[in-house]
Amino acid sequence: MAKTRLACLLTLLSTHCYFNVLAVVLRTSDESPWTNEFDKIELSCLIESISTTNPRIEWKKITNGGPSYVYFDRKVSGDLENRAVIREPATLLITNATRSDTAKYRCEVTAADDLKSFDEIVINLIVRVKPVVPKCSVPKSVPFGKSAELSCVEDEGFPKSQYQWFKNNEEIPDDPKTSLKFTNSSYTLNADTGTLKFIAVRKEDGGDYFCRAKNDAGFSQCPAQLMEVYDIDVLGIALGVLVVVIVLLCITVGICCAYKRGFFSSEKQTGNNYKVPAKGDGVDYVRTEDEGDFRHKSSFVI
Ligand SMILES: *[C@@H]1O[C@H](CO)[C@@H](O)[C@H](O)[C@H]1NC(C)=O
Ligand SMILES: *[C@@H]1O[C@H](CO)[C@@H](O)[C@H](O)[C@H]1NC(C)=O
């Protein structure tokens, strides 16, 4: 009984050792590395065990379109050509990462002389891109009590930007109720879309506003723009309307009177007569003078 057990144990140990010696085994120091755009980054592929002296090493980039070669036949190829090198034993070093390098990469090592002759590991690379200056829109002036919407957009950043709004250089909290200063303000702030919406602006909401787009790679912001809140002057508007109505009324009355007195038809005649003054039509001249008098009178009445 004990003998068979020992035998079993020995067999297990030996097979384990055997595979350990004659198997290619890969390891990585970082499965999901990240870097900022235009920096270097190492995709680590370490050979933990191998007996083949000259293994075949390949790297593939795996995107939605399927895998494509990055390193094949001892050469870096594809769009990483001139931007990457292999560092012993099988690590891929990207010297100047771009945003299009964000992908999964597979390190594959084939060791012909090993019993387990193949191993692979997948590395998930993220290249972060700093946001560019966002496009900000702030209404110049908003009537008191009306709604207002401020927007901020930026599309370059990766991962996708989050947005912060600042008023007079002070960050606006996501929820106005959490701040003594903003507690009476009626806004809602969406950090994902960059929209700052006021349901009804107060005098205190006026000020210099700017927005900041940020992600893990950094941030960018737009210059501050002034939003003014003005009172709608009800009395002023009423007065203005009254003046306009009076003026319109006067004009209408004036035109009516002119029609009744045949002003327009006689003007046509005088117009004709002015073109032929050489004929010296005395009667018409008199009429014209009448006309002038009439005009005087009517404007005087108004
Ligand atoms: C990296 O690439 C960008 C764009 O291709 C280039 O402007 C930049 O100078 C490069 N940086 C280095 C360190 O080579
Ligand atoms: C908010 O409104 C309340 C009630 O109208 C007022 O007492 C308080 O002073 C206001 N707070 C601020 C910061 O304006």
Side-chain angles (χ1 to χ4, degrees):
M1 193 64 181
K3 254 189 190 170
T4 35
R5 240 191 244 167
L6 192 67
C8 268
L9 198 68
L10 279 174
T11 325
L12 252 169
L13 271 172
S14 62
T15 47
H16 182 74
C17 282
Y18 184 72
F19 272 117
N20 235 1
V21 170
L22 289 179
V24 53
V25 176
L26 301 181
R27 180 172 69 82
T28 179
S29 63
D30 194 352
E31 263 179 9
S32 38
W34 63 266
T35 185
N36 289 344
E37 193 168 36
F38 309 130
D39 275 355
K40 60 176 189 299
I41 183 69
E42 201 178 76
L43 308 190
S44 130
C45 181
L46 306 170
I47 300 178
E48 199 148 69
S49 119
I50 197 161
S51 54
T52 304
T53 48
N54 204 1
R56 192 175 78 200
I57 295 162
E58 286 175 8
W59 276 94
K60 283 173 190 153
K61 179 181 184 176
I62 304 157
T63 52
N64 290 336
S68 60
Y69 276 111
V70 166
Y71 182 73
F72 176 72
D73 203 13
R74 296 176 192 278
K75 280 195 288 287
V76 178
S77 58
D79 64 350
L80 272 177
E81 207 177 350
N82 307 322
R83 288 197 295 122
V85 290
I86 286 286
R87 179 182 277 176
E88 287 289 319
T91 291
L92 184 73
L93 179 69
I94 300 177
T95 52
N96 188 355
T98 69
R99 58 191 70 189
S100 62
D101 294 340
T102 293
K104 285 189 167 68
Y105 292 83
R106 196 163 63 210
C107 173
E108 303 174 357
V109 174
T110 313
D113 300 340
D114 288 34
L115 200 68
K116 177 183 169 292
S117 62
F118 179 79
D119 198 16
E120 60 179 31
I121 46 171
V122 173
I123 312 250
N124 193 7
L125 171 66
I126 305 253
V127 179
R128 299 173 174 175
V129 182
K130 189 181 167 235
V132 295
V133 174
K135 287 192 181 71
C136 299
S137 125
V138 177
K140 277 198 169 52
S141 60
V142 185
F144 173 86
K146 295 288 178 205
S147 65
E149 187 171 319
L150 289 73
S151 70
C152 178
V153 193
E154 184 283 323
D155 283 327
E156 300 288 312
F158 185 84
K160 205 175 168 333
S161 288
Q162 292 280 301
Y163 300 94
Q164 291 169 295
W165 274 99
F166 293 78
K167 180 193 163 200
N168 300 333
N169 286 320
E170 193 176 335
E171 189 183 346
I172 299 172
D174 286 354
D175 178 2
K177 295 282 169 280
T178 59
S179 149
L180 264 181
K181 210 166 192 169
F182 292 96
T183 190
N184 288 344
S185 193
S186 69
Y187 70 81
T188 53
L189 175 57
N190 188 330
D192 295 324
T193 62
T195 312
L196 173 64
K197 259 187 197 151
F198 291 90
I199 295 161
V201 294
R202 308 167 304 151
K203 264 289 191 236
E204 295 84 346
D205 291 324
D208 281 314
Y209 285 84
F210 75 85
C211 164
R212 175 181 290 172
K214 60 163 186 176
N215 66 9
D216 297 331
F219 68 84
S220 288
Q221 57 200 36
C222 59
Q225 296 170 55
L226 180 66
M227 179 173 91
E228 267 177 327
V229 177
Y230 63 89
D231 271 321
I232 302 179
D233 186 352
V234 177
L235 193 70
I237 289 174
L239 227 70
V241 169
L242 201 69
V243 167
V244 169
V245 165
I246 288 170
V247 168
L248 282 175
L249 213 68
C250 290
I251 292 171
T252 317
V253 167
I255 289 173
C256 280
C257 289
Y259 257 120
K260 270 187 190 154
R261 302 221 188 163
F263 173 78
F264 287 107
S265 53
S266 59
E267 187 167 62
K268 262 176 207 158
Q269 280 173 18
T270 53
N272 282 340
N273 289 328
Y274 275 128
K275 277 179 191 163
V276 284
K279 283 183 180 170
D281 192 339
V283 184
D284 273 330
Y285 273 116
V286 174
R287 218 192 264 171
T288 314
E289 272 165 27
D290 268 340
E291 229 37 86
D293 268 346
F294 169 71
R295 263 191 247 174
H296 250 291
K297 269 180 208 154
S298 63
S299 57
F300 185 72
V301 168
I302 285 165

